[in-house]
Amino acid sequence: MIIFCEDCGEKNQVTAGQLKTGRAIFTCRVCGYANCFAFDSGPTARQTDQDLKQILDKQIKKSQTLLGCFICDRRYEILINRMPASLPQKDVLILGRCVCQGHQHAAVAIDDLSETWIQISDKAILVFKNSHNLFLVLVGQGPVFGENLISDETRYAFQCFTPQS
Amino acid sequence: MSENKQLSDIGAIKGIKQFIVVDNAGQVIKSRMEHTEKMAEMVFECGKLFFSIGKKNFTHAVFKRTCGNDFLIFPVGNQYIGMIKQKNIKTFTLIDSVKNFLADLT
């Protein structure tokens, strides 16, 4: 799986063995920094809806910049919505369709696309897709860069997430 | 158009490897990019989608790539610029450079 260096933010491919102890232990391939950090709740190989909702809620609560997030499927239907209650569901749906379709269009032309950042005024939107064709969309406030919106724990949990139904 | 002539100088910005300019009908205005047709379509479709959410508040989009040559899109008037970043430059540094360049155009 891909883990980001704590020091320089570069992506590093790590093996399951490097995560077994509940900590990510690896030397960054770019800057050489010796990373050793814990995943708070030790995500398991398969995340359920409930597990992921808890992790997302924790991240939103802890983050200074994250307004909310949601997950949609390949038809752009919302599976998990953790956006502020003041935002109507139909607006979340429209946002999801636009940003996920954009990510999909880009993926056709860019074969090594990993994530999409979109800056709209002072809002940063980050889009990921996992191997189950699900999209995680995070919306941050302030002129932040996408990579600061999501923790390694949330990234990992989403990669492992498959819907229950 | 003088704006296009100036916009075409964007390739001189440090950190830009390739670039393409398309209009809001998907026509290529200028290209210094490989696979022009495919990339023009992507820039146009993505630019249009993101513009539909933010309108004039849409400032840029970054497509992160594992190889480090991130792809960026900026709206400029009724056109979109797509560019491939060189590996050796930070994405936010290039974003700032492009924003400064575009601010000088207007």
Side-chain angles (χ1 to χ4, degrees):
Chain A
M1 71 175 288
I2 302 287
I3 293 282
F4 289 77
C5 173
E6 270 195 319
D7 194 44
C8 72
E10 275 296 329
K11 291 184 173 75
N12 285 264
Q13 184 77 43
V14 298
T15 63
Q18 290 171 294
L19 300 170
K20 250 181 191 170
T21 57
R23 300 181 73 82
I25 303 166
F26 64 97
T27 302
C28 177
R29 67 183 172 85
V30 175
C31 71
Y33 180 73
N35 287 269
C36 179
F37 53 85
F39 287 101
D40 290 350
S41 62
T44 55
R46 184 182 183 281
Q47 295 286 328
T48 63
D49 295 34
Q50 209 52 45
D51 293 334
L52 189 57
K53 280 176 187 170
Q54 282 175 8
I55 290 169
L56 295 176
D57 287 344
K58 191 170 78 175
Q59 166 132 18
I60 292 167
K61 199 173 169 186
K62 204 165 68 174
S63 172
Q64 301 285 315
T65 53
L66 186 61
L67 271 176
C69 58
F70 56 95
I71 290 174
C72 45
D73 64 16
R74 71 180 79 184
R75 292 174 186 165
Y76 313 121
E77 299 296 335
I78 307 293
L79 299 180
I80 295 175
N81 184 3
R82 286 298 188 258
M83 291 297 283
S86 57
L87 190 65
Q89 176 87 4
K90 69 173 175 55
D91 290 353
V92 179
L93 197 61
I94 291 166
L95 176 64
R97 282 188 178 159
C98 287
V99 299
C100 296
Q101 277 181 10
H103 183 88
Q104 284 294 80
H105 275 298
V108 171
I110 302 170
D111 55 9
D112 63 342
L113 176 66
S114 60
E115 62 197 55
T116 299
W117 307 347
I118 304 144
Q119 191 76 38
I120 293 174
S121 189
D122 64 342
K123 303 285 187 295
I125 302 168
L126 178 59
V127 186
F128 291 98
K129 190 179 175 189
N130 73 8
S131 55
H132 304 286
N133 287 319
L134 301 175
F135 298 91
L136 171 61
V137 181
L138 299 106
V139 181
Q141 57 188 352
V144 294
F145 292 102
E147 58 202 355
N148 299 330
L149 284 180
I150 185 168
S151 68
D152 292 325
E153 181 191 14
T154 308
R155 261 179 214 276
Y156 182 44
F158 176 63
Q159 292 297 346
C160 300
F161 173 65
T162 49
Q164 283 165 321
S165 53
Chain B
M1 285 171 65
S2 61
E3 189 187 67
N4 286 342
K5 195 174 177 185
Q6 286 180 301
L7 198 55
S8 67
D9 296 336
I10 200 162
I13 294 176
K14 189 182 168 193
I16 295 179
K17 192 177 175 190
Q18 299 175 31
F19 75 96
I20 189 167
V21 182
V22 298
D23 67 15
N24 61 358
Q27 297 299 310
V28 177
I29 304 295
K30 189 165 186 76
S31 177
R32 291 282 182 273
M33 186 172 282
E34 293 169 14
H35 312 295
T36 297
E37 204 172 309
K38 183 171 76 169
M39 302 316 272
E41 187 183 344
M42 187 272 274
V43 170
F44 169 64
E45 293 294 343
C46 292
K48 201 172 57 170
L49 279 165
F50 301 154
F51 186 83
S52 73
I53 314 168
K55 304 290 182 265
K56 291 192 173 178
N57 293 318
F58 165 49
T59 59
H60 61 270
V62 179
F63 300 103
K64 297 287 285 179
R65 302 174 67 186
T66 52
C67 69
N69 294 122
D70 297 345
F71 196 102
L72 291 82
I73 295 177
F74 290 81
V76 187
N78 59 356
Q79 299 171 346
Y80 299 104
I81 307 174
M83 60 190 72
I84 296 175
K85 176 186 85 70
Q86 290 172 354
K87 274 185 197 175
N88 60 353
I89 192 160
K90 298 253 183 201
T91 304
F92 61 83
T93 305
L94 181 56
I95 290 169
D96 282 347
S97 300
V98 173
K99 279 183 177 173
N100 289 337
F101 176 87
L102 296 177
D104 289 342
L105 278 184
T106 53

